[in-house]
């Protein structure tokens, strides 16, 4: 694997750019290879998007018709969802972006960071016990947001259109409003119960009702400043001042935290599987490592899977055995690579995974206590994230997952700005070894530290074959993210299901703890005779409210096939 090569700019050009930056207040760079993309002949007969709502799809279509590429469209989608999908779309959170541009893979980490004043024990009482809710609701739950910096970095490096143009759709949605649908209204009502008496949530979202046009003038002003000044406004301008002022006397984030935030270009996790190249998320996500482990281990167990029907009791058992080992590794080894040396190569090595596969019991669940991290001892988020997938006619692709963690994040809205702030601090191990709200545990690798990024499961993924994009996929779902992505890829490629059917098919989940528990979903429940047979194998069945909102695009020849999960309100669209 090669490290990402940064764009080289001559000293003279840099000096001119610096002078321009001083005069405009921010620096806008359009690298030469982004212009080269514009000159390339189209390789697909359409661009395509699979996004979380119709407003984002409309924004992307507008950008493509104005000559933008996949990155321009992705940035427009991200800002649009911050307005029209406020329960998860955001500028007050962070995320990961996997890109494939001009035949090369890239990965951008714009995950939130712990504030400088954060401490390892900040969510513990004087007896060392976790204080319920402190990392979930209110100002103390907020990490330093990264979304604006991430979008700025991606568009600056690879976009074709002017920055202002890609923000225009979001500004219009905030200023002129959008019509609230049933799902958003219900999520607002549910969230309001959690935030009641704890935050200022209802001051901003109390009038968000189904069928009503909802306008956000404060947010429109913020987006307009970001359009005019770039990321500088959010991290060192008026918006930064508003965020810092909202925190004073309540939370930990200061203007210095915002000024020091930077998105990071990282080396993506890459692996060969079934004739394809997998390009996916590296730490601080556990998702890419987990996805590669699942795909490789299932392939190694091909004899045990032979003639086993999809989603049969035996199939569910074998997948759970694999997942049990993946989550044991996740708990022990995964964390922020800037603070901890994550053994990615060892965890995805074929010889290591073959040893793990040899431990699988083909007949009954392995004893949970016997399943230990495989490398020895030397070496968590809520479901309410959102994902979108984009492919342009030149064959470039973006797979982006970003989050404010819970629906409407911490419930804190920045006064005068309308920005919903995340509750991402809950993704740290508040106390190593103690499960977080999603039931997963973490080790010292994911303990709280200033400027540290919390462990994530987000898994924005691109598959290529012979240097061309084959699949772009991702989903929200907390610790269910990479198991959901795995199942859809498996349905599509191993069972040859059309993408629409592969996305709609039943999904289930096991994560080591609670012991021998299989989680099922309301959309395709495990019930009746199937439930009896799974329980007879020694499993406990437990329902969950949410199991992903897959947004996927598969390329068939020169034609994209875009699919949005029927579980959500997503929209998939081809743009000629």
């Amino acid at each position: 694997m090669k490290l990402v090569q940064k764009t080289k700019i001559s000293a003279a050009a840099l000096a001119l750019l610096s002078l321009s930056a001083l005069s405009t207040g921010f620096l806008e760079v359009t690298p030469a290879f982004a212009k080269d993309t514009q000159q390339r002949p189209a390789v697909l007969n359409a661009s395509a998007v699979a996004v979380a709502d119709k407003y984002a799809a409309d924004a992307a279509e507008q950008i493509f018709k104005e000559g933008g590429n996949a990155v321009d469209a992705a940035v427009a989608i991200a800002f649009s969802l911050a307005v029209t999908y406020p329960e998860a779309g955001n500028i007050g959170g962070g995320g990961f972006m996997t890109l494939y541009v001009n035949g090369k893979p890239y990965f951008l980490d714009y995950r939130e960071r712990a504030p400088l004043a954060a401490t390892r024990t900040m969510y513990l009482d004087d007896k060392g016990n976790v204080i319920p809710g402190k990392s979930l609701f209110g100002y103390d739950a907020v990490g330093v947001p990264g979304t604006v910096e991430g979008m700025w970095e991606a568009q600056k490096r690879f976009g074709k259109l002017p920055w202002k143009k890609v923000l225009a759709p979001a500004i219009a949605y905030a200023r002129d409003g959008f019509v609230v649908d049933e799902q958003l209204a219900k999520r607002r009502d549910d969230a309001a119960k959690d935030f009641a008496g704890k935050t200022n949530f209802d001051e901003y979202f109390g009038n968000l009702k189904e069928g009503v046009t909802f306008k956000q003038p404060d947010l429109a002003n913020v987006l307009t400043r970001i359009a005019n000044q770039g990321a500088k406004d959010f991290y060192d301008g008026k918006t930064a001042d508003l965020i810092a002022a909202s925190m004073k006397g309540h939370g930990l984030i200061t203007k210095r935290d915002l000024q020091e935030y930077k998105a990071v270009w990282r080396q993506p996790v890459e692996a060969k599987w079934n004739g394809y190249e997998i390009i996916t998320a590296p730490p601080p996500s556990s998702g890419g490592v987990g996805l590669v482990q699942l795909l490789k281990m299932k392939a190694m167990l091909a004899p045990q899977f032979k003639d086993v029907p999809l989603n049969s009791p035996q199939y569910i058992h074998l997948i759970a055995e694999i997942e049990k080992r993946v989550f044991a590794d996740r708990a022990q080894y995964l964390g922020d690579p800037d603070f901890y040396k994550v053994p990615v190569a060892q965890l995805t090595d074929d010889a290591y995974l073959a040893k793990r596969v040899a431990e699988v019991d083909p007949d009954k669940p392995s004893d949970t206590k016997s399943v230990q991290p495989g490398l020895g001892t030397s070496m968590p988020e809520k479901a309410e994230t959102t994902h979108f997938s984009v492919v342009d006619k030149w064959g470039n692709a973006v797979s982006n997952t970003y989050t404010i963690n819970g629906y409407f994040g911490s419930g804190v809205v920045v006064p005068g700005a309308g920005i919903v702030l995340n509750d991402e601090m809950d993704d740290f191990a508040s106390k190593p070894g103690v499960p977080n709200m999603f039931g997963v545990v973490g080790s010292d690798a994911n303990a709280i530290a200033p400027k540290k990024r919390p462990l994530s499961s987000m898994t924005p993924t691109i598959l290529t074959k012979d240097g061309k994009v084959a699949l772009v996929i991702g989903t929200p779902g907390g610790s269910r993210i990479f198991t959901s992505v795995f199942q859809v890829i498996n349905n599509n490629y191993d069972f040859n299901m059309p993408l629409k059917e592969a996305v709609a098919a039943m999904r289930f989940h096991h994560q080591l703890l609670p012991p021998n528990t299989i989680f099922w979903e309301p959309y395709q429940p495990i019930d009746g005779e199937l439930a009896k047979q799974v329980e007879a194998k020694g499993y406990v069945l437990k329902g969950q409210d949410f199991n992903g909102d897959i947004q996927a695009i598969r390329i068939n020849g020169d034609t994209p096939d875009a699919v949005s999960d029927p579980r959500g309100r997503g929209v998939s669209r081809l743009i000629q």
Side-chain angles (χ1 to χ4, degrees):
M1 292 186 285
K2 295 182 178 179
L3 292 172
V4 174
Q5 296 295 315
K6 295 187 177 180
T7 310
K8 293 183 178 179
I9 304 174
S10 70
L14 186 59
L16 289 172
L17 287 168
S18 298
L19 288 172
S20 173
L22 288 172
S23 64
T24 62
F26 67 102
L27 182 64
E28 184 163 0
V29 182
T30 303
F33 54 76
K35 292 180 181 179
D36 181 55
T37 302
Q38 189 174 14
Q39 297 164 356
R40 287 170 178 260
V43 296
L44 301 177
N45 56 28
S47 299
V49 296
V51 296
D53 74 7
K54 67 185 181 70
Y55 299 106
D58 289 344
E61 183 167 357
Q62 178 181 330
I63 293 301
F64 280 132
K65 288 183 175 179
E66 291 177 352
N69 63 12
V71 178
D72 293 314
V75 173
I77 290 166
F79 279 105
S80 293
L81 290 173
V83 180
T84 66
Y85 204 90
E87 70 267 45
N90 70 84
I91 60 172
F96 300 132
M97 182 183 290
T98 302
L99 308 92
Y100 195 72
V101 181
N102 290 344
K104 296 179 182 178
Y106 301 88
F107 182 84
L108 182 59
D109 170 5
Y110 59 95
R111 179 76 159 148
E112 302 93 327
R113 296 197 318 192
L116 290 165
T119 65
R120 183 184 179 93
T121 59
M122 62 185 289
Y123 299 119
L124 305 183
D125 62 21
D126 54 7
K127 296 180 180 177
N129 298 317
V130 176
I131 302 170
K134 192 174 182 184
S135 64
L136 291 174
F137 309 119
Y139 294 90
D140 284 334
V142 183
V144 182
T147 294
V148 174
E149 165 74 1
M151 295 304 130
W152 170 252
E153 274 295 315
Q155 208 274 337
K156 178 176 69 174
R157 184 168 187 177
F158 293 120
K160 288 167 52 182
L161 297 180
W163 172 252
K164 285 185 179 181
K165 190 160 284 190
V166 297
L167 267 78
I171 294 170
Y173 291 143
R175 181 188 62 233
D176 303 332
F178 66 97
V179 179
V180 176
D181 80 338
E182 179 184 3
Q183 186 186 66
L184 173 56
K186 184 180 185 307
R187 288 175 175 176
R188 189 225 76 91
D189 292 345
D190 291 343
K193 296 172 187 175
D194 289 334
F195 301 139
K198 302 171 186 172
T199 75
N200 63 343
F201 178 75
D202 274 343
E203 292 177 28
Y204 278 81
F205 291 96
N207 62 344
L208 190 153
K209 306 291 183 185
E210 181 183 355
V212 174
T213 298
F214 184 64
K215 298 180 180 181
Q216 300 170 80
D218 286 348
L219 185 57
N221 291 336
V222 169
L223 293 172
T224 300
R225 287 197 298 271
I226 293 172
N228 291 331
Q229 301 172 33
K232 180 178 176 61
D233 169 70
F234 192 91
Y235 295 95
D236 194 24
K238 182 175 180 179
T239 300
D241 291 335
L242 290 171
I243 295 170
S246 74
M247 285 280 160
K248 195 168 185 180
H250 302 289
L252 301 181
I253 295 175
T254 64
K255 191 169 182 180
R256 181 184 167 195
D257 283 302
L258 294 164
Q259 290 169 330
E260 294 188 4
Y261 182 87
K262 295 296 178 186
V264 181
W265 290 98
R266 299 194 188 276
Q267 182 178 351
V269 169
E270 298 182 68
K272 296 187 183 303
W273 169 81
N274 201 24
Y276 293 87
E277 185 77 13
I278 305 166
I279 305 164
T280 189
S285 177
S286 64
V289 170
L291 176 63
V292 170
Q293 287 184 317
L294 289 170
L295 290 169
K296 285 189 173 186
M297 290 169 76
K298 181 179 180 292
M300 291 174 181
L301 283 169
Q304 286 87 342
F305 278 99
K306 185 179 180 183
D307 299 326
V308 175
L310 177 66
N311 295 333
S312 63
Q314 180 64 7
Y315 181 88
I316 291 171
H317 163 64
L318 290 173
I319 295 297
E321 280 287 283
I322 297 172
E323 291 177 342
K324 186 173 288 186
R325 286 154 179 84
V326 170
F327 273 90
D329 284 350
R330 180 193 191 277
Q332 182 64 38
Y333 304 125
L334 276 297
D336 185 345
D338 294 337
F339 284 73
Y340 169 80
K341 187 174 175 60
V342 182
V344 173
Q346 295 98 309
L347 290 169
T348 56
D349 178 70
D350 289 353
Y352 168 71
L353 293 175
K355 292 178 182 177
R356 300 297 267 164
V357 161
E359 301 167 1
V360 168
D361 189 322
D363 302 316
K364 63 183 186 300
S366 300
D367 177 53
T368 299
K369 292 180 181 178
S370 72
V371 179
Q372 299 296 321
L375 296 177
T377 56
S378 62
M379 302 284 300
E381 70 241 54
K382 275 194 186 179
E384 298 85 358
T385 302
T386 190
H387 177 87
F388 52 84
S389 296
V390 186
V391 172
D392 67 29
K393 64 182 181 180
W394 298 288
N396 303 306
V398 172
S399 182
N400 187 92
T401 313
Y402 70 159
T403 183
I404 44 175
N405 209 24
Y407 280 144
F408 299 98
S410 62
V412 173
V413 186
V414 178
I419 299 168
V420 182
L421 294 174
N422 66 83
D423 63 327
E424 218 65 62
M425 294 296 288
D426 187 67
D427 279 0
F428 284 111
S430 294
K431 183 177 181 180
V434 175
N436 74 353
M437 59 169 329
F438 215 65
V440 292
V441 296
S443 68
D444 283 351
N446 191 38
I448 300 169
K451 301 180 79 169
K452 193 175 185 180
R453 288 167 159 86
L455 183 61
S456 172
S457 297
M458 292 184 286
T459 316
T461 297
I462 297 173
L463 268 61
T464 64
K465 191 167 189 176
D466 301 325
K468 297 178 181 178
V469 173
L471 181 73
V472 186
I473 190 170
T475 185
S479 58
R480 281 85 168 148
I481 288 177
F482 58 88
T483 62
S484 295
V485 171
F486 161 71
Q487 287 175 83
V488 174
I489 291 176
N490 185 51
N491 295 346
N492 192 211
Y493 288 97
D494 283 3
F495 286 88
N496 298 312
M497 297 173 69
L499 186 59
K500 186 175 182 180
E501 294 178 20
V503 170
M506 183 185 87
R507 297 199 284 267
F508 59 91
H509 176 80
H510 173 67
Q511 59 179 36
L512 183 66
L513 297 173
N516 300 328
T517 300
I518 302 290
F519 292 92
W520 54 266
E521 51 156 349
Y523 184 78
Q524 293 271 13
I526 298 177
D527 55 14
E529 187 59 30
L530 176 59
K532 292 178 183 177
Q533 293 178 25
V534 172
E535 289 171 338
K537 283 187 168 291
Y539 290 100
V540 174
L541 291 174
K542 188 172 182 180
Q544 59 186 46
D545 293 335
F546 185 89
N547 199 20
D549 186 18
I550 294 279
Q551 306 294 336
I553 304 170
R554 182 169 179 176
I555 310 299
N556 301 311
D558 59 0
T559 302
D561 177 21
V563 172
S564 290
D565 204 316
R567 295 161 177 81
R569 65 181 191 266
V571 171
S572 52
R573 188 177 297 175
L574 302 187
I575 297 104
Q576 299 298 329

